[in-house]
Amino acid sequence: MDQNDRLFGHDRGMTAHYLELCKNLTDEQWDREFDVGLRSIRITFDHINEAVDFWMGWMTGVPNHREAKRKPYEQLVAEHHAGYDRFEAFARGIIADGRLDETFEDHWKVRHSYGASILHVIMHGQTHRTEILHMLHRLGIEDLPEGDPQEWEWHLRDVGKLPPA
């Protein structure tokens, strides 16, 4: 596994894992407002998905934006997988073509490199997953993963997706 496999695999995998952890939450738990981040678990997951699509739009030259709304669990999961498939394929293409230092213009007419923007999307997801973890703790849910890359890799070894260390 190379470093890009780790970056994309961890980002994709931990968002999917946190979604799975939230699968059986009640609507009240999904929508409970907290004094952190975007205030609810549902809106935070939607924002993670929207940010992937938002930055993909600017990087590909086809800007898009959608408003966060109260989406059901199944839609959040489907949007995560579809959006991340597009993002990872695009990012790997930029990497393979040696274009990480090339730039594009965003919605404020600011130029960004593809490399920094790809990292931005990944780190943005991690930031909001940390907020979700905090919200889950405050709901009283125990034995939650920290979600760091080492823990993710240990899990892959435990389930046989990686050889023993």
Side-chain angles (χ1 to χ4, degrees):
M1 178 180 338
D2 70 18
Q3 197 65 13
N4 290 324
D5 294 337
R6 285 181 173 90
L7 283 168
F8 295 122
H10 174 263
D11 189 38
R12 172 196 296 268
M14 289 313 301
T15 298
H17 185 62
Y18 279 35
L19 278 162
E20 182 66 25
L21 289 171
C22 294
K23 182 178 187 174
N24 295 319
L25 294 179
T26 65
D27 278 340
E28 187 278 326
Q29 290 171 314
W30 272 95
D31 298 320
R32 183 178 301 173
E33 289 202 4
F34 295 91
D35 57 350
V36 64
L38 297 167
R39 305 190 69 80
S40 81
I41 292 171
R42 187 183 316 269
I43 294 299
T44 304
F45 275 120
D46 188 49
H47 176 74
I48 291 169
N49 290 343
E50 194 272 336
V52 171
D53 290 341
F54 177 83
W55 285 106
M56 275 292 299
W58 289 104
M59 287 190 283
T60 61
V62 185
N64 63 72
H65 181 70
R66 59 182 174 77
E67 294 299 318
K69 55 184 169 179
R70 192 173 182 276
K71 295 179 181 170
Y73 169 79
E74 295 78 12
Q75 185 176 354
L76 292 170
V77 171
E79 287 181 358
H80 165 63
H81 290 296
Y84 212 90
D85 286 348
R86 289 188 301 274
F87 169 67
E88 185 174 353
F90 173 80
R92 285 185 180 272
I94 292 290
I95 293 165
D97 294 343
R99 298 179 54 210
L100 289 170
D101 293 327
E102 290 183 22
T103 63
F104 66 94
E105 190 174 271
D106 75 2
H107 52 302
W108 289 304
K109 307 290 184 213
V110 174
R111 298 212 62 82
H112 300 280
S113 72
Y114 289 111
S117 298
I118 290 165
L119 284 175
H120 170 75
V121 170
I122 291 168
M123 294 175 79
H124 176 267
Q126 178 61 38
T127 297
H128 288 298
R129 285 192 303 271
T130 300
E131 294 169 352
I132 290 168
L133 185 64
H134 177 77
M135 292 177 206
L136 291 171
H137 279 295
R138 291 193 44 202
L139 287 172
I141 298 171
E142 298 179 11
D143 299 321
L144 294 168
E146 287 182 31
D148 69 61
Q150 292 171 322
E151 183 180 48
W152 170 77
E153 196 168 281
W154 296 331
H155 172 74
L156 291 180
R157 289 189 196 291
D158 288 346
V159 298
K161 292 187 179 181
L162 286 177

